[in-house]
Amino acid sequence: MRRTDEAPTGTGDDLGLGSAESRSAALPAGLTALVVDDDPDFAGLLRRLLEGQGIEVHVAESVADAEALSAAYIFDIALIDYRLGPADQPARTGLHVATAVRRTSPNALVIVLTGYSDRVVAREAIRVRVDDVISKAGLTVTEFTRTLAESLERKRQRDTQLGPAYLESVVNQSLANVAHELRSPLVSIMRQTEALISGALGSLSGDQHTGAASISDEARRGLNLINAHLDLNRIEHRITRLEPAEHDVAAILADEVESYTARAAAKGVSINRSTPSVPTVARVDLPKLRSALNPIMDNALKYCRERGRIDVAVRVQDEHVVIEVHDDGPGMRADDVDRVLRPDTWGGTAPSPRARGTGLGLTIARRFSELHGGHLEIGSPRDGGTTVRLWLRQYPPTEGTDDVG
């Protein structure tokens, strides 16, 4: 739909009719661009211009379509028409799209194209951190490509001055925003498949039940991955706040072991817990301590031999409360230990597809222990298996105590 309130198309070198391929200036190739305009002719011209420069282009003609694309892709460039949709619906403008792009592609170059007064739109654009506002009136291909190239260069220089730490924070924030967007549909998938499995929506055949269970498991795994990433992102950016209180660590561990009893029994694994003879009180944030214990117990059960054994103990040593979890699995090499304590790395191959983890669990456990003033150790004794020790500061400290539970 071409609107009478926007710039009329011209002739020759005017952006409305000029040849994009023959007139375009040099732009960096290999970028990904979002073009949002409900005029298919104008959007098509921008697509041809950018694709002719080796830029991948995605086109949307509405706010809803643009928001969906912004949630699915990380964009380097966003060219957004200010007025989208019928004139009698002014509330939904290109600035809504700019906000969505900033949420998922915070390092993108965002430019708003308008046929209205630059000053009017610019005042609104400042609020959503739009990089530039370009008037369509009399705009030529040459002027447009030159402006776009200059804007990209300014952005590159700014990013260089800010340094790699800033860029890393931008990428992490972008991933965190995408993760938040994915949580709701995954929760919905889990609820619907659980309703199918329970028979609430009708009976299922054996194969259908197996398929629904597989979908539910994969949705749960995806949600766990997202939650793990968000936890790690909060820790890395120091936005996790501890709310510590005095807790009996031995009692917490007993509850944790109890929650794994059924799963261990299904695998034929016995969990043996030792009870200490001295107080094991520490000042900890209880939810975060449980978040640290979960991946430790998950890994012990995952890698333990069929009909194997897991030994869990608590002791007090060097003014610390030490939680120790040992499994009789295949053990780990020294380089594997270093790998599993870094994000997104594997120490080895999981025993089955159902036992896959997120690759972030032990990293999160280590960071949580460090937030509590402790640390995490992983070792493999010569007789096999793997031992994980989580050290927490004892409260109050007991001098000279070295008691094994």
Side-chain angles (χ1 to χ4, degrees):
M1 176 178 69
R2 192 175 300 283
R3 297 169 297 285
T4 58
D5 57 352
E6 292 205 355
T9 58
T11 59
D13 199 31
D14 183 86
L15 188 58
L17 296 176
S19 171
E21 291 80 356
S22 61
R23 300 283 185 175
S24 57
L27 294 172
L31 303 179
T32 302
L34 172 66
V35 172
V36 185
D37 199 304
D38 59 355
D39 179 348
D41 293 336
F42 191 86
L45 178 63
L46 290 180
R47 178 197 284 272
R48 292 193 302 275
L49 188 155
L50 296 173
E51 288 181 342
Q53 299 278 352
I55 295 174
E56 178 183 341
V57 180
H58 298 265
V59 175
E61 295 185 6
S62 68
V63 172
D65 290 345
E67 289 177 337
L69 283 172
S70 69
Y73 296 92
I74 303 296
F75 289 106
D76 302 296
I77 303 169
L79 303 173
I80 306 168
D81 187 23
Y82 175 74
R83 174 66 67 195
L84 295 168
D88 59 352
Q89 296 180 8
R92 301 287 278 177
T93 71
L95 298 184
H96 291 84
V97 178
T99 300
V101 171
R102 276 283 177 247
R103 190 164 57 244
T104 55
S105 301
N107 201 39
L109 175 70
V110 180
I111 295 177
V112 169
L113 302 168
T114 179
Y116 297 91
S117 167
D118 288 3
R119 293 180 180 178
V120 172
V121 178
R123 285 197 297 269
E124 299 181 52
I126 290 173
R127 293 184 297 103
V128 294
R129 296 189 297 125
V130 167
D131 294 289
D132 204 350
V133 176
I134 299 177
S135 174
K136 291 182 178 179
L139 182 66
T140 66
V141 170
T142 301
E143 292 170 347
F144 173 76
T145 52
R146 185 184 68 246
T147 300
L148 182 56
E150 290 173 351
S151 295
L152 286 168
E153 178 59 21
R154 285 196 299 270
K155 173 179 170 296
R156 186 194 66 79
Q157 292 178 1
R158 182 187 70 228
D159 292 346
T160 300
Q161 293 173 353
L162 290 171
Y166 168 76
L167 295 179
E168 181 180 359
S169 70
V170 167
V171 171
N172 286 334
Q173 184 59 50
S174 176
L175 291 174
N177 291 338
V178 172
H180 276 295
E181 296 289 338
L182 290 173
R183 291 177 75 176
S184 293
L186 284 173
V187 170
S188 178
I189 292 171
M190 286 172 54
R191 288 176 177 171
Q192 292 295 323
T193 53
E194 286 169 0
L196 285 171
I197 293 169
S198 68
L201 302 180
S203 60
L204 301 178
S205 67
D207 289 343
Q208 290 172 333
H209 190 280
T210 299
S214 177
I215 293 172
S216 180
D217 286 347
E218 290 302 309
R220 189 179 305 278
R221 176 174 173 266
L223 187 61
N224 288 341
L225 174 60
I226 288 170
N227 289 334
H229 172 80
L230 291 174
D231 282 341
L232 188 59
N233 188 69
R234 294 186 189 102
I235 295 171
E236 297 287 1
H237 291 85
R238 302 182 185 276
I239 55 177
T240 293
R241 185 178 63 183
L242 289 181
E243 297 182 1
E246 298 176 26
H247 291 281
D248 183 350
V249 176
I252 296 171
L253 186 60
D255 291 342
E256 191 73 15
V257 169
E258 181 65 27
S259 69
Y260 280 84
T261 300
R263 288 171 55 190
K267 191 177 175 181
V269 172
S270 63
I271 302 180
N272 304 285
R273 181 173 60 88
S274 300
T275 303
S277 59
V278 297
T280 57
V281 178
R283 282 184 59 79
V284 297
D285 184 313
L286 185 56
K288 291 180 174 59
L289 177 57
R290 293 193 185 280
S291 295
L293 290 174
N294 285 342
I296 295 174
M297 291 297 297
D298 282 340
N299 281 351
L301 185 58
K302 179 194 307 181
Y303 290 102
C304 188
R305 292 185 295 107
E306 293 289 339
R307 304 194 178 280
R309 170 183 174 128
I310 298 173
D311 294 312
V312 178
V314 182
R315 72 171 185 268
V316 176
Q317 179 179 335
D318 299 332
E319 299 185 356
H320 284 77
V321 177
V322 185
I323 300 172
E324 184 173 287
V325 178
H326 175 78
D327 66 75
D328 61 357
M332 300 173 65
R333 301 186 306 270
D335 57 337
D336 286 338
V337 172
D338 180 60
R339 290 175 59 207
V340 298
L341 290 178
R342 299 198 310 270
D344 305 317
T345 58
W346 265 110
T349 303
S352 71
R354 293 180 63 87
R356 287 180 296 173
T358 66
L360 297 174
L362 290 178
T363 299
I364 293 170
R366 186 189 71 174
R367 301 294 169 82
F368 278 154
S369 67
E370 292 170 348
L371 284 175
H372 285 89
H375 61 278
L376 187 79
E377 297 176 345
I378 303 177
S380 289
R382 291 185 177 181
D383 57 352
T386 298
T387 301
V388 179
R389 297 183 185 89
L390 180 66
W391 293 66
L392 302 167
R393 291 187 181 276
Q394 186 187 21
Y395 185 85
T398 303
E399 295 184 4
T401 302
D402 191 359
D403 184 272
V404 178

